[in-house]
Amino acid sequence: LDGLLFACLGLWAYVHAVQRAQWRWAVLAAGFYLLSTLCKEVYVPWVALTLLLPLPAGSQSAAAGSPGAVGSPWGMARWRFALPTLAVALAYAVVRISVFSGIGGYHGSALGDWRALPVFIGNLAHMLAQGLLGSGALGMAAILACLVCLVAGVAAQSTPHRRWMLVGLGAAAVVMVFPLLFVVHPGVDLIGYTRYLWVPWVALCVLWSLKWPARIARWRAAALLVFVAAVVQQSIAQREHDRPANAVFEAHYAFALNPPPGQILVPYEFFSPISTVTQIMYAHAAQQRLEPGRLHPEPALLRKAPADAAERARIRTWNDKCLCLVPLDSLPPEQQEAVIQSQLANVGHAFSMDKPPPRVAHGYGGSIDAITVEGRQLHISGWTPTLGAGRKMVMAVPTPGAQVSLDALVSTERPDVAQSFQRQDMLLSGFEAILGFSDERMAQAASRMRCAIVLGHLPGQEHQFLLLPVKGKQGCSDALIPDATRAEGG
């Protein structure tokens, strides 16, 4: 909301700058634009509106009476008074590229090449339609009503204005679509990522302020009611979807930021076996940075099986019925064992990779010592910086489109690693994994894998992803988070 306010004030000041031919308004517009970009990066593309927004002629330009006057869409003044805002956009781009090693942040663009454009447009339309207005007959009717609103609004303009309105709508499309280049991927959970649709949502609401032709204006209220009904239905569905997820993270963040003395947490496996623990440890690390003068006890996570009933009573786990953390010993005995085994078991995932992995790793740790092919199986062995049980690992193989499965992931003893680190609790840091493929050719191709990703356990690494290079080689460096944004302690 803050970013939207500053972005709109920036456009307001820019219009004044062009119409009054005063640089102070242009500087003010650039200041508001800067504030909006610091609120959220989705407002960075708003610079396109500065360049292409159709502007009415101001008093000075009307007096001038020339087609190139200050307020005219054809005049150079609109570009000249946009220079301060453009300078802010350029500076932002330089800083962002240096910090993230690219404009997309941690994830690459969903649009790999022009051949992927039809698929991307289809995914984008699907996400916008169902994410904003929902699926089903009501959602489809609301989408159709929005399209009618768009066409009617353009048709209601006079011929000269219609051309510039289309230019303005093109600029609005850039504003809406550009941030989504980095998040709209095949299979994206529409209702789980609707926060990305904030700017399209605002644009959709503004759409209904357009004038309709007089002969169909009486239908505008009915179409708007259909739109509102779909919005209400989608909002209710969204709130019900978000309520359990919000409760999960609120409870886990509270535990991470203010760890109850003596309690041990079994993190809830939300998106993946490592997502929740990673995010709460990020929150803990952020709190340490924000308040360096205060003591911030680290949240205790379950790393080994409880030795007795007293230790079991200290463990807290998530309960879906109450949407809260409960004592482990309050559950039936069979559920208690299932919770412990789920947390302490090795959990792995294998997938075929057709592009560089996202920037998620903080550094290197462990090693993949051997890769051998036996028929349709790939055998991988090595070690990870793991304490006790519960290794969490992801293996990516360079076989786009291949069907790959993780057939086995077991711990093995590595006394050499325990001796090197002087930690006996790292005795089971070794592992052996078996990946299965549809044919031997795919297995041979997958043997060229460069690295795997594992969640660190050692002190200072509990909230970090680490890369396991093959045979000590530092491959997959493109998966490392850039130095400027990497957390300390890697």
Side-chain angles (χ1 to χ4, degrees):
L1 286 173
D2 294 339
L4 178 64
L5 172 64
F6 291 135
C8 291
L9 287 174
L11 289 176
W12 169 77
Y14 168 72
V15 171
H16 277 65
V18 175
Q19 292 184 332
R20 300 184 182 185
Q22 294 177 346
W23 281 101
R24 60 183 181 181
W25 286 98
V27 173
L28 181 62
F32 281 131
Y33 173 72
L34 174 62
L35 291 175
S36 71
T37 63
L38 297 179
C39 290
K40 194 65 179 172
E41 56 268 62
V42 294
Y43 295 109
V44 176
W46 280 54
V47 70
L49 295 180
T50 302
L51 298 176
L52 299 175
L53 186 70
L55 298 177
S59 57
Q60 293 189 24
S61 61
S66 64
V70 173
S72 169
W74 298 100
M76 291 301 295
R78 63 174 298 133
W79 298 84
R80 195 165 64 246
F81 288 107
L83 287 176
T85 301
L86 289 172
V88 171
L90 179 61
Y92 181 95
V94 171
V95 171
R96 185 173 180 88
I97 290 173
S98 64
V99 170
F100 287 98
S101 296
I103 63 173
Y106 297 118
H107 299 277
S109 171
L111 190 59
D113 54 53
W114 293 111
R115 290 173 298 180
L117 184 60
V119 176
F120 172 77
I121 293 176
N123 291 333
L124 175 64
H126 185 61
M127 183 175 187
L128 288 174
Q130 292 205 9
L132 290 173
L133 298 171
S135 58
L138 184 58
M140 292 300 297
I143 294 166
L144 181 61
C146 290
L147 294 176
V148 171
C149 181
L150 180 64
V151 173
V154 173
Q157 307 300 315
S158 62
T159 301
H161 289 163
R162 187 178 302 150
R163 179 178 60 225
W164 287 105
M165 184 177 182
L166 290 173
V167 173
L169 289 172
V174 172
V175 166
M176 291 189 298
V177 171
F178 184 78
L180 298 178
L181 289 176
F182 308 97
V183 296
V184 179
H185 291 271
V188 66
D189 178 12
L190 300 177
I191 201 169
Y193 291 94
T194 47
R195 62 191 178 90
Y196 293 126
L197 302 180
W198 168 239
V199 171
W201 167 249
V202 173
L204 206 62
C205 292
V206 172
L207 186 68
W208 287 94
S209 66
L210 296 178
K211 182 181 179 180
W212 284 36
R215 63 182 181 275
I216 62 171
R218 64 183 183 276
W219 295 102
R220 185 174 182 274
L224 185 57
L225 286 176
V226 173
F227 171 74
V228 171
V231 168
V232 171
Q233 177 178 277
Q234 178 72 354
S235 298
I236 294 173
Q238 187 69 45
R239 286 181 178 274
E240 287 302 307
H241 173 275
D242 290 348
R243 190 168 64 91
N246 291 340
V248 166
F249 284 105
E250 287 174 4
H252 284 70
Y253 282 142
F255 191 101
L257 298 179
N258 296 287
Q263 292 187 13
I264 302 171
L265 176 65
V266 178
Y268 180 75
E269 297 180 358
F270 193 65
F271 297 114
S272 71
I274 54 180
S275 63
T276 305
V277 63
T278 303
Q279 294 187 46
I280 65 174
M281 294 307 291
Y282 273 137
H284 172 72
Q287 186 184 48
Q288 288 181 310
R289 287 175 177 245
L290 291 172
E291 301 175 338
R294 292 183 56 189
L295 178 64
H296 298 284
E298 193 164 287
L301 305 180
L302 185 66
R303 297 293 188 193
K304 60 180 182 179
D308 49 38
E311 189 171 338
R312 187 178 293 257
R314 297 168 51 200
I315 299 174
R316 297 295 181 270
T317 186
W318 180 255
N319 187 282
D320 287 321
K321 293 181 179 179
C322 69
L323 296 180
C324 63
L325 293 173
V326 299
L328 180 66
D329 58 5
S330 67
L331 302 178
E334 62 276 8
Q335 289 189 25
Q336 296 183 34
E337 294 306 315
V339 168
I340 294 173
Q341 291 305 315
S342 174
Q343 178 65 19
L344 300 183
N346 289 330
V347 177
H349 179 66
F351 66 95
S352 59
M353 181 178 63
D354 58 352
K355 58 180 61 178
R359 297 179 180 275
V360 297
H362 296 80
Y364 290 93
S367 173
I368 296 175
D369 297 329
I371 300 177
T372 58
V373 178
E374 296 183 10
R376 294 182 299 175
Q377 289 185 328
L378 194 68
H379 291 251
I380 304 171
S381 62
W383 68 275
T384 64
T386 302
L387 299 180
R391 177 182 288 102
K392 315 297 181 185
M393 182 184 298
V394 175
M395 284 168 282
V397 292
T399 51
Q403 296 295 321
V404 54
S405 62
L406 180 64
D407 296 340
L409 177 61
V410 298
S411 298
T412 60
E413 292 188 358
R414 288 294 297 264
D416 57 326
V417 175
Q419 177 64 28
S420 175
F421 282 84
Q422 294 295 304
R423 296 192 65 121
Q424 193 59 30
D425 51 2
M426 292 185 68
L427 181 62
L428 290 175
S429 59
F431 72 90
E432 291 183 356
I434 301 177
L435 304 184
F437 296 85
S438 57
D439 55 57
E440 187 173 348
R441 180 181 59 85
M442 287 293 184
Q444 288 287 352
S447 66
R448 297 192 297 269
M449 68 179 295
R450 293 181 296 163
C451 64
I453 299 177
V454 69
L455 185 66
H457 282 189
L458 295 180
Q461 295 180 342
E462 298 93 333
H463 64 296
Q464 297 183 356
F465 292 112
L466 302 174
L467 290 179
L468 271 65
V470 175
K471 298 180 180 178
K473 297 179 181 179
Q474 293 194 347
C476 287
S477 59
D478 45 8
L480 288 172
I481 296 174
D483 290 333
T485 53
R486 197 178 307 169
E488 296 176 357

